[in-house]
Amino acid sequence: MIAYIIRRLLLVIPTLFGIMVLNFVIVQAAPGGPVEQTLAELRGNAVSATARITGDSADSANLSDSSSSSDDGGQQSRATRGLDPVLVEKVKVLYGFDKPPLERFVLMMKNYLQFDFGESFFRDATVVELVIEKMPVSISLGLWTTLIVYLVSIPLGIKKAIRDGTSFDVWTSGLIIVGYAIPGFLFAILLIVVFAGGSYLDWFPLRGLVSDDFASLNPLQKVLDYFWHLALPLTAMLVGGFATLTMLTKNSFLDEINKQYVLTARAKGLTENRVLYGHVFRNAMLIVVAGFPSAFVGILFTGALLIEIIFSLDGLGLLGYEAVINRDYPIVFGTLFVFTFLGLILNIIGDLMYTLIDPRIDFERREL
């Protein structure tokens, strides 16, 4: 097992590097980078924008003045037309675009290996500070959603498999399919209208993860306040979250129940619970366990974007979306590096969970 873990950890390095290279190339090809956006701002509001740029770039002014003198005779692009070439060069130096793309990528990866993810272009904070600031919201939504989905879907799927074809199986299937068909953001709006003071009841808060007086509450009140704020966002995320895992669990159990070893176990006189949970469970749950890391990462970092916006929850999903829109490259690549690395590690953990459920699995003999 140790050798397998070491091989998988070594594979993380080229996988992570390849993902970073691919995304770096795509982002560089996308129009409207931070330099172009700042130059557009300069053209629209030259006085205030110029003051900001010159103030932020005071340390690199001499370098900019000397390096831009040879560019005065060249043809200016549409974004730089009508602007002082010295100022344009200062903007490039400010965002690091005075260097060629390859040099910028190598420097970025070197810093990332030292866990230096840089500072945001448009926010007065480092990438690490922003991620730490937004992490509690995303962890709250992702962790509780994943736990509730698994705690409900697995027992429900087992029950549906045992009672396959009965009225219980039919009405529960209809219920979870209807929930799956309802978009989470539309259900979130309905919850706000009904329960958050929209038109009817005013039972739950409309925004934020905790109340303004959270620090002054006692421990029990803090827990209650925390879940009070999470009630509506979690309900909106959970409405369509049960269908896939429930049906996957049901079909896995049905496939195992019809195998010969189950008939043999029953013929030996074992109880139904012993057959289901002592033999069928560990085999049927393999495919379910395999999907846990990807499900958690998906819910944690991507699945809650619209929910965060609707309920004014400032989490990682909203941070990443705004970074892409604003071309805030340090946040884009810094969060991509961290989330990809975390996802790869969780996939390794998911493989190791196989052995906890079925000790017969031996990853040492697995060819990578």
Side-chain angles (χ1 to χ4, degrees):
M1 180 60 66
I2 300 299
Y4 170 78
I5 295 175
I6 293 175
R7 291 198 301 268
R8 287 296 305 269
L9 290 175
L10 291 177
L11 279 175
V12 168
I13 299 175
T15 303
L16 184 59
F17 181 79
I19 292 174
M20 295 301 297
V21 169
L22 180 61
N23 283 274
F24 186 84
V25 172
I26 293 175
V27 169
Q28 296 305 308
V35 173
E36 288 77 6
Q37 291 193 13
T38 303
L39 293 177
E41 179 184 347
L42 290 172
R43 290 171 61 87
N45 191 6
V47 176
S48 60
T50 302
R52 177 172 66 86
I53 294 298
T54 53
D56 292 340
S57 307
D59 294 337
S60 59
N62 293 333
L63 174 63
S64 304
D65 293 340
S66 60
S67 62
S68 62
S69 57
S70 60
D71 297 334
D72 292 343
Q75 183 178 5
Q76 295 178 326
S77 66
R78 180 179 301 177
T80 63
R81 192 173 302 158
L83 297 175
D84 186 355
V86 175
L87 185 60
V88 172
E89 195 65 25
K90 287 182 180 180
V91 174
K92 292 181 180 180
V93 174
L94 176 64
Y95 295 122
F97 279 77
D98 56 321
K99 303 178 181 67
L102 179 59
E103 183 178 350
R104 283 189 279 118
F105 178 78
V106 172
L107 180 61
M108 180 183 72
M109 294 305 298
K110 180 181 178 180
N111 291 335
Y112 284 4
L113 293 177
Q114 302 172 3
F115 297 98
D116 178 11
F117 301 104
E119 296 185 2
S120 169
F121 284 160
F122 306 111
R123 297 170 181 250
D124 189 19
T126 65
V127 174
V128 174
E129 290 173 344
L130 290 171
V131 170
I132 293 176
E133 178 186 348
K134 314 300 182 184
M135 186 70 78
V137 172
S138 294
I139 287 182
S140 296
L141 292 174
L143 181 61
W144 289 115
T145 300
T146 305
L147 287 178
I148 293 174
V149 165
Y150 270 75
L151 289 175
V152 172
S153 296
I154 291 178
L156 180 59
I158 295 174
K159 190 71 172 179
K160 287 173 63 63
I162 297 173
R163 303 180 62 177
D164 182 42
T166 64
S167 59
F168 172 83
D169 181 38
V170 173
W171 73 260
T172 52
S173 295
L175 187 63
I176 61 175
I177 290 174
V178 170
Y180 184 75
I182 300 175
F185 68 93
L186 287 181
F187 192 66
I189 296 174
L190 176 63
L191 291 176
I192 290 175
V193 171
V194 177
F195 297 107
S199 298
Y200 299 95
L201 305 175
D202 192 9
W203 289 355
F204 296 95
L206 182 59
R207 61 181 65 244
L209 191 61
V210 293
S211 300
D212 294 335
D213 60 344
F214 184 79
S216 62
L217 302 177
N218 62 49
L220 178 59
Q221 289 175 330
K222 287 183 178 180
V223 172
L224 295 176
D225 181 79
Y226 170 73
F227 284 105
W228 182 48
H229 283 76
L230 276 179
L232 295 186
L234 281 181
T235 303
M237 293 184 65
L238 288 169
V239 63
F242 300 112
T244 301
L245 187 59
T246 299
M247 300 308 296
L248 179 63
T249 303
K250 174 190 173 182
N251 292 333
S252 298
F253 260 77
L254 285 177
D255 184 58
E256 294 295 325
I257 287 174
N258 294 324
K259 290 185 177 180
Q260 183 63 41
Y261 75 89
V262 176
L263 298 178
T264 303
R266 286 171 174 166
K268 290 181 178 180
L270 297 180
T271 63
E272 190 66 15
N273 284 338
R274 180 68 183 276
V275 172
L276 290 176
Y277 298 103
H279 296 275
V280 176
F281 182 83
R282 66 180 184 181
N283 294 324
M285 285 295 99
L286 288 177
I287 189 172
V288 176
V289 170
F292 178 83
S294 59
F296 177 73
V297 173
I299 294 174
L300 181 60
F301 299 128
T302 61
L305 174 59
L306 291 176
I307 302 300
E308 289 181 7
I309 295 175
I310 293 172
F311 289 98
S312 299
L313 298 173
D314 195 6
L316 292 174
L318 185 59
L319 175 67
Y321 173 77
E322 291 178 346
V324 172
I325 296 298
N326 296 326
R327 302 296 194 270
D328 199 337
Y329 291 164
I331 295 179
V332 172
F333 291 118
T335 54
L336 174 67
F337 182 90
V338 173
F339 299 161
T340 303
F341 179 76
L342 180 60
L344 293 172
I345 296 300
L346 286 177
N347 282 329
I348 297 176
I349 295 175
D351 283 349
L352 297 180
M353 290 178 67
Y354 276 119
T355 61
L356 297 178
I357 297 177
D358 191 350
R360 296 172 299 173
I361 296 178
D362 185 7
F363 284 112
E364 291 291 348
R365 300 178 181 178
R366 180 178 176 180
E367 294 293 336
L368 296 180

